[in-house]
Amino acid sequence: MSKNPYQSDDIQLLRLSTAGSVDDGKSTLIGRLLHDCQAIYEDQFQAVQKASKKKGNGEIDLALLLDGLSAEREQGITIDVAYRYFSTPKRKFIIADSPGHEQYTRNMVTGASTANLALILVDARKGILTQSKRHLFIASLLGIPHILIAINKMDLVDYKEDKFEEIKKDFLKFSEKLDIKDLQFTPISALKGDMVVNRQENLTWYDGPTILSYLENVQTISDKNLIDFRFPIQYVMRPNQDFRGYAGKIASGTIKKGEPVMIIPSGVETKIKSLYWDEKEVDEVATPMSAIITLEDEIDASRGDMIVRTNNLPIASNDFEAMVCWFDTTSMKKDHRYILKQTTNSTSAFVTKLNYRININTLHREKEADTLELNEIGRLSIHTQHPIFFDTYKKNKQTGSFILIDEATNNTIAAGVIIDKGKKTSFIHGDKELTSQKGAALWLTGLSGSGKSTIANHLYKRLKERGLECEQLDGDVMREHLCQGLGFSKEDRDINLDRASFVAGLLSKHGILTLASFISPYESQRAKLRKNIPNFIEVFINTPLKICEERDVKGLYKKARAGEIKSFTGISDPYEAPENPELEIKTPETSIDKAVEIIINYLLDNGYLGNTNRMR
Amino acid sequence: MNHLKQLEAESIHIIRETVAECKKPVMLYSIGKDSSVLLKLAEKAFYPGKIPFPLLHVDTGFKFKEMYDFRDYYTKKIGVELIVHKNTEEIAMNLDPREAHTDRYIYYKKTKPLVEALKTHEFDAAFGGARRDEEKARAKERIFSFRNKEGAWEPKNQRPELWELYNTRLEKGEHMRVFPLSNWTEADIWSYIKEEEIEIVPLYYAAKRKCLQRNGIYYMLNEFVQPEDNEKVEELMIRYRTLGCSPSTGAVLSKADTVDKVIEEVLTAKGSERELRVIDHGSESSMEDKKKEGYF
C-alpha cells in the first residue's frame, strides 16, 4: 500500500460514485487506479492473474479485481454496487462502483446518494450515449457537487485531440439544461494507463490533471448544511430514573448547551441541558456527529420527533412534492399504501398524483404518463398519514430525502428527494406564531480586495436557496445603472454612496434583504448610512492591507502605488476601521463558507429570516 | 472532525438504528481486533448507559487460549452479557483440529451453530465486524444485510441503501446481519485502536513465541498445534494479523510489538490480511458460497 495517510490528523474523506455503460471500461479504470496506487495486495493480484489465465485473454484483466460474485465473473458483468477503498497521502477515498446495465438507475442513485463526486466513463469511440445522459441527470438530481467525465479508450482513436473536444462539446451542450456546479473532462486510456495515475507520453496535448491528481486536489464544495439545526430523535435512552437522553445523528447545523429549542411536532419549547459526545459531556455539537441531548424540562419526546431551534423550523406537513426514482419491478400504484421512511420517521404514505415522468434522454416532461416503472423517475405529490418534518433536498440532503417500502414484500421500492411543499400544507408547530423575513441592509465595508463581493455573492446564493427575497448592490451595479458618468473624485464617490444608500433604504423598508458591498471608508459616512437606512447591519470585512494588495484582482493597488490613482483607500487615503460593527469577519483566516454561516446565523438569531422556510 | 471520527459517527448511527428498530439484537463477538473496535463503538453509542444487548460468541473450541482469556476478562470488565454457543452434536465434536480449514468444519463448527443460536434466542439482528475491504464478496454486501428464514444471503436480491436511510423491516423468522464497520479499512481499524487506546488480544503484537512451519505457514505451538515428524520447533518473533481458529490461522514474522509499529507494518504490507486464513482459499468463490449458507 502507499505511504501513510494517517500521519496527518485531518485527512479528508472523499466519496465518489462511478458509473459507465457496459463496455466503457469502468472496472478497468478502478482496477488501474487501485493497482497504480499500490492499493492491491499481492495475493489479491495473484488471484486476478490466475483468473485472467482461466478466461484466456492475454493481458491481465484488472476488471476482475472488482467482480466479486461468481455470477459476475462467469458472465463478465457487474451486478451490484461494490464499495472500494484506497488512500493516498492526501486523501482517503471510498468508491461506490455502480454497474452500467441491469438495475442500472437504481444502483446509480444508490451510489450517488452519498457521493461528493461523480466519475462518469465514456467510450471515446462512441461519445455521449443515453446512459451518459442518465448519469448526468441523476448526478444533478442528487446534487453531487463535482462531476468528472473520463473520456476513455483514447488509444482506440489514436489519442486524437479533436475527438476529445467533440465529445466534451456534446456534454457541455446537454448539461446546460441541468443544475451542475462543476464539470471537468479528462482524456484517458484505462487499459494502457494513460492519464489515470501517470501521465505517460500519448496525450501530450492535454495539460489538465490526471484522474488521480484531480481526485486528490479537487477543492470539495461543502455539501454539509452547518446552519439549520435539525436533530431527528433516533433513540431515547433511560439508563436510570434520573437520566433521559435523546440519541441521534445531527442531520445539520450545530447547537450549544443552554440554547432554546423546540420539539416538533408537539411545539413544546425548552432549553438544552447537556450534550454528550465521545463518552463525555461537551458544550457544543455539530453535524455529522452522533450525539446525545438532554433537555431542561421533562418532555415526552420519542423516536421520529425532531429537536430544532425555536427561530429556525423545518416544514411540518402531510403533503409534499418530490422527484422519485422507482426501484421495483411492480409499478407505482396511485393511492396505494406504502411505508415512507425519512430521517428517523416512518409513516404510511400515498401517491396522490404523478405530475410527470422525466424522459431522461430528452429531459422532456411526459405529463401523459400514468405510472412509474422500474428505473423511471417522475415528480410525485405524496400524502402521509402523519406529518413529516423536512427541508427541501437542495437545502438539506438529510431531511430532504426519503425511501418508500412495500409493506407486502418489505422491499425498498423507491427513493425520492423533496423539491417543494404540497399545495395544502398544514403547519404543525404548536402555538408558535410563524413569522416571515424582514428587510435589512447588510453593509459590507472593507478595503478594496478584502473579499466583500465574493462573500456577498456566496451569501446571495445561500439566501436564494432558502427561498428568501434579496438583492445585491455594489460599485459595479451602481455605475452601470444609476451613476453612469460619475467619476472617481471625492464628490462623485460621495454621490455614488448617497444613491446606494437611498436604494438600500427603500429595499430594506419594503422587506428585502439587501447585500451592499462598498469600501465606505469613513466613520462619518457609515454613521450617516446607519441613520438613513432601516435595519442597517454593519459587516466589517477585516482583511490586512498586505493581503488585499497581493490579491489586487483589478490591478488598482499597482496603479495607486504608481500614483495613477489619487486618494486610493489604504494607500493614499485612510480607511477608518469600524469601532462597533454588528459583525466583524477576519479573512483570510475565516473561510468564505464560514463567513456566510456567521452572517446567516446572525440574521436568524435576530429574526430577520423568520422562523420557518419559505418555499419557491 | 477527522475521517476516523466521521466513520465513528456513522457506525454509532447504525448501531443505534438497529437497537431502535429491531426487536432483539445481538452482537457477534469473535474476540478479534474488529470485534474489539465494534464493542468500543457500542459502548460509545450508549454512554452513559450500558450496552442494551448481549454478545454472542460462537465457539469452535479451537481458538487460542489468549483469546478465551481476553474474552472473559474484557466482557467482565465492561459488564456486558456474554452468550457462548457451541455445536455439541457428535459430528461437530469429532472434528479434529487438523480439519480446521475444511468446508465441513466451517459448516458444523461455525455456520450451523450460528444460525441455530440466532433461532433459539430469536435474535432478529446480529451485528458483525466484517469490513468491505476484506474480501470481494464482502465488498458487495449491504450494511443491513437481509437473511431469509434459512439464514442465507441472496446477493442478487439486496435492498438498496441510500443516504443514511436503512430499511430494517422483517417477517417473523427472518433476520438482519448488520455491519457497522463496512466502510472501515484495516488501517482505519489500527489507527482507531491507537487513538482510542483500545485493548486487544496480545497475540496481535509481536513477541517471541514457539512455533513451527507447516505448508509454508507459521503456526504457534499450543494444545491443538503440536509438531509431527520432521517438523522443527523454533522460537521466533511473530504476531497475528487476524485471529481465527488456532490450527488454521497463520502467524507472520514481525518485530511490531507496539501499535505504532503495527500501523507502519499494515501500511507497507504486501499481502492482504486474510492471506493467512486458510478457509478463504478453498475455491475462488469460497466466501460467497459460505455466506449464501449463512456464514458471516
Side-chain angles (χ1 to χ4, degrees), chain B residues 82-124:
Chain B
L82 173 73
I83 300 169
V84 178
H85 185 80
K86 216 174 191 171
N87 186 355
T88 50
E89 284 179 287
E90 208 181 332
I91 187 166
M93 297 307 282
N94 286 342
L95 283 161
D96 187 86
R98 295 295 304 253
E99 296 175 81
H101 62 282
T102 63
D103 281 349
R104 251 182 79 211
Y105 177 93
I106 303 294
Y107 178 73
Y108 287 107
K109 288 278 199 187
K110 295 182 170 178
T111 310
K112 195 175 173 201
L114 168 62
V115 174
E116 237 171 46
L118 296 176
K119 260 206 183 111
T120 320
H121 295 271
E122 295 187 320
F123 291 124
D124 60 342

Side-chain angles (χ1 to χ4, degrees), chain A residues 447-448 519 521 545 549 557 560-561 567-575:
Chain A
L447 293 167
S448 171
I519 299 173
L545 175 65
E549 195 167 353
Y557 282 97
R561 288 282 182 201
S567 53
F568 187 79
T569 305
I571 305 294
S572 40
D573 206 52
Y575 178 81

Side-chain angles (χ1 to χ4, degrees), chain B residues 27-69:
Chain B
M27 182 169 278
L28 299 187
Y29 183 62
S30 74
I31 329 171
K33 63 184 192 311
D34 303 294
S35 270
S36 291
V37 166
L38 192 57
L39 196 49
K40 182 78 209 171
L41 291 166
E43 285 182 70
K44 286 195 177 204
F46 301 101
Y47 176 88
K50 292 239 182 256
I51 298 175
F53 46 76
L55 306 187
L56 170 65
H57 179 217
V58 175
D59 188 11
T60 59
F62 295 143
K63 300 286 172 192
F64 295 91
K65 183 178 174 297
E66 290 84 345
M67 291 171 75
Y68 293 116
D69 291 347

Side-chain angles (χ1 to χ4, degrees), chain A residues 288-307:
Chain A
M289 289 176 180
S290 279
I292 293 164
I293 292 178
T294 69
L295 301 170
E296 286 286 354
D297 303 289
E298 278 276 329
I299 287 167
D300 188 25
S302 53
R303 178 174 165 90
D305 292 357
M306 195 183 269
I307 303 178

Side-chain angles (χ1 to χ4, degrees), chain A residues 167-446:
Chain A
I167 296 171
K168 183 173 165 181
K169 220 173 86 192
D170 291 343
F171 268 98
L172 287 172
K173 187 154 180 287
F174 181 77
S175 67
E176 277 169 12
K177 298 176 216 161
L178 300 170
D179 181 20
I180 292 172
K181 293 188 180 101
D182 176 29
L183 186 63
Q184 302 291 333
F185 299 86
T186 308
I188 63 165
S189 165
L191 190 68
K192 309 280 180 198
D194 298 296
M195 288 297 162
V196 180
V197 172
N198 304 308
R199 298 189 73 82
Q200 306 196 137
E201 285 87 44
N202 295 312
L203 290 158
T204 43
W205 48 263
Y206 169 76
D207 53 14
T210 61
I211 299 275
L212 182 67
S213 161
Y214 177 78
L215 295 179
E216 279 189 316
N217 295 304
V218 60
Q219 286 283 325
T220 50
I221 300 170
S222 167
D223 53 3
K224 268 188 293 191
N225 178 330
L226 296 169
I227 291 164
D228 308 295
F229 176 67
R230 305 282 185 260
F231 186 81
I233 296 175
Q234 189 181 13
Y235 181 68
V236 183
M237 300 218 304
R238 300 223 65 171
N240 58 58
Q241 285 301 310
D242 307 321
F243 190 93
R244 187 182 177 92
Y246 298 101
K249 194 161 191 273
I250 299 159
S252 57
T254 65
I255 198 87
K256 288 192 191 76
K257 204 172 155 173
E259 280 199 72
V261 289
M262 180 189 274
I263 318 300
I264 45 177
S266 69
V268 174
E269 292 181 49
T270 179
K271 278 185 180 156
I272 302 278
K273 184 177 167 195
S274 58
L275 297 164
Y276 293 86
W277 175 72
D278 202 17
E279 292 182 295
K280 56 184 180 280
E281 226 189 301
V282 292
D283 291 332
E284 185 178 6
V285 291
T287 181
M289 289 176 180
S290 279
I292 293 164
I293 292 178
T294 69
L295 301 170
E296 286 286 354
D297 303 289
E298 278 276 329
I299 287 167
D300 188 25
S302 53
R303 178 174 165 90
D305 292 357
M306 195 183 269
I307 303 178
V308 297
R309 270 205 191 83
T310 317
N311 62 5
N312 181 350
L313 309 173
I315 297 159
S317 172
N318 294 71
D319 292 276
F320 60 88
E321 304 268 304
M323 292 296 286
V324 172
C325 178
W326 206 256
F327 289 164
D328 208 67
T329 43
T330 52
S331 48
M332 188 271 287
K333 287 196 273 294
K334 241 189 275 177
D335 301 320
H336 177 78
R337 189 169 74 172
Y338 295 110
I339 297 158
L340 176 134
K341 189 168 181 189
Q342 176 254 1
T343 68
T344 57
N345 223 330
S346 292
T347 175
S348 299
F350 305 84
V351 177
T352 53
K353 194 180 169 200
L354 169 62
N355 296 286
Y356 54 79
R357 179 175 65 201
I358 290 265
N359 179 325
I360 300 180
N361 305 331
T362 58
L363 299 183
H364 179 68
R365 295 172 175 187
E366 297 171 342
K367 295 205 165 105
E368 67 284 3
D370 56 5
T371 187
L372 289 181
E373 307 280 354
L374 175 68
N375 290 332
E376 291 183 340
I377 295 175
R379 179 175 171 142
L380 306 182
S381 304
I382 292 176
H383 176 79
T384 56
Q385 189 188 354
H386 298 290
I388 60 163
F389 324 115
F390 61 89
D391 301 280
T392 55
Y393 183 78
K394 213 172 171 178
K395 195 177 128 186
N396 197 324
K397 285 190 177 181
Q398 302 303 327
T399 59
S401 53
F402 64 90
I403 55 173
L404 290 178
I405 299 166
D406 182 346
E407 60 183 345
T409 61
N410 283 339
N411 285 333
T412 302
I413 47 153
V417 299
I418 300 175
I419 50 175
D420 205 347
K421 67 177 173 57
K423 287 204 174 63
K424 37 175 192 181
T425 291
S426 43
F427 288 92
I428 298 159
H429 289 135
D431 299 328
K432 184 80 181 171
E433 194 187 329
L434 295 172
T435 55
S436 52
Q437 78 171 83
K438 285 194 281 189
L442 281 155
W443 202 272
L444 279 67
T445 168

